[in-house]
Amino acid sequence: MRRRTASTLRASTPDQLDATVGSVLLIASKGHGTRQSCRTNKYGFPIRHVARQKVWFGFRTGDLVRAVLLGGKYAGTHVGRVTIRASGKFNITTATGTAAGIHYRHCRIIQHTDGYAYATRTP
């Protein structure tokens, strides 16, 4: 086996490498939720029951959704991560803030959650 030396590495790679790219993919870990069977107060005593079901109305927390609302306080189009509830009223977290109480019928899934959040940025 041939051993690589510093002189052979320098010969194939220049000292300064310039690469032009149109955009950069940013990936952030978001996880898959929690496995708690109940919520606790500040002393550790159980105070709330947590639903065992993870999917409601075909959505699960972390899905990327688009919601189009024609009227009301949050009128407009919202694209972001969804927080689900059994009642069907979801929260959508976007880059500009959170839209609360959006009914699931207004939401369309863009991407199912896989534990990561993706974004692009131009350098």
Side-chain angles (χ1 to χ4, degrees):
M1 181 170 169
R2 190 173 143 204
R3 187 171 182 175
R4 296 181 124 185
T5 61
S7 62
T8 59
L9 290 176
R10 266 188 253 126
S12 64
T13 307
D15 290 334
Q16 186 168 354
L17 183 64
D18 294 324
T20 57
V21 293
S23 63
V24 178
L25 178 65
L26 305 173
I27 303 171
S29 176
K30 294 296 183 180
H32 284 288
T34 181
R35 194 167 183 258
Q36 285 182 321
S37 61
C38 64
R39 301 282 186 236
T40 58
N41 64 9
K42 64 181 180 177
Y43 303 107
F45 289 101
I47 58 171
R48 240 179 291 187
H49 168 75
V50 177
R52 287 161 182 80
Q53 188 173 340
K54 286 191 168 228
V55 178
W56 290 95
F57 309 103
F59 296 89
R60 74 185 285 168
T61 295
D63 286 347
L64 186 62
V65 299
R66 172 179 286 124
V68 179
L69 304 170
L70 300 178
K73 181 178 180 180
Y74 298 110
T77 301
H78 305 279
V79 177
R81 300 278 164 192
V82 68
T83 304
I84 63 165
R85 293 198 181 95
S87 64
K89 302 279 187 156
F90 299 164
N91 288 358
I92 299 176
T93 304
T94 64
T96 58
T98 301
I102 308 300
H103 202 274
Y104 77 93
R105 279 180 268 167
H106 300 293
C107 300
R108 297 287 176 260
I109 293 179
I110 298 173
Q111 177 186 358
H112 287 288
T113 186
D114 62 353
Y116 295 94
Y118 304 97
T120 56
R121 187 181 75 195
T122 56

